[in-house]
Amino acid sequence: MTAVDLVPGARGAVALSPRPHAPGAHATGAHAAGTHGTGELEDHDDGYQGDALLVTADHEIAVVAALRGFFQSVDGRYRWHGRLAAPADTPDALDVLAGARHQAVLVTPDGMSRCDIYEQDLWGRFKVSGVGRPPFAVDTTLPDED
């Protein structure tokens, strides 16, 4: 059984759980705690590391996502980006993405968001980026002004 299970008969309906071997795999309140997954996040960064589902026009692909996000003060928008890798048990899962840009929806246990998929790196991971509400939890509280 994988960490990403599709609900039969319901395209896009998923049940996701963090990988059991990745403590803190999905970050709720990572911004407030200052830590996430296996590394430190800067005070202004939010993020997610763990299993996700990538839904394109033609495919639903289980992926492992490493995502980060930040508020861009220049244009007032939240921007997020990262890398998508194939799970160890299905190393060829992302082959269908090679050679072209794709628009898709990325789904995590914390939410979903439209994204662009592009450029494969030397390790077979794909770049992913989006603007607006990310597919992971973000601290939305404002700091106290003294």
Side-chain angles (χ1 to χ4, degrees), residues 8-145:
R11 178 175 166 83
V14 296
L16 297 173
S17 60
R19 295 175 160 242
H21 62 276
H26 74 343
T28 53
H31 178 81
T35 62
H36 166 66
T38 59
E40 296 283 324
L41 288 179
E42 296 178 26
D43 287 342
H44 62 280
D45 286 344
D46 299 299
Y48 172 85
Q49 285 187 326
D51 294 327
L53 181 70
L54 182 67
V55 181
T56 68
D58 300 319
H59 301 91
E60 291 181 349
I61 308 166
V63 296
V64 178
L67 308 171
R68 294 182 72 119
F70 59 95
F71 176 74
Q72 178 59 261
S73 60
V74 173
D75 64 6
R77 299 175 82 181
Y78 191 88
R79 298 183 181 278
W80 59 273
H81 59 93
R83 301 280 181 169
L84 302 178
D89 59 343
T90 56
D92 300 331
L94 296 177
D95 288 355
V96 298
L97 300 176
R101 291 182 73 101
H102 299 274
Q103 291 186 333
V105 173
L106 188 61
V107 183
T108 73
D110 295 321
M112 67 175 79
S113 184
R114 292 178 188 237
C115 61
D116 292 315
I117 310 297
Y118 53 98
E119 196 177 326
Q120 189 173 22
D121 66 17
L122 296 174
W123 301 273
R125 302 172 304 172
F126 283 83
K127 288 183 179 181
V128 59
S129 66
V131 177
R133 181 173 296 276
F136 51 85
V138 175
D139 182 11
T140 58
T141 59
L142 295 173
D144 292 333
E145 293 186 28

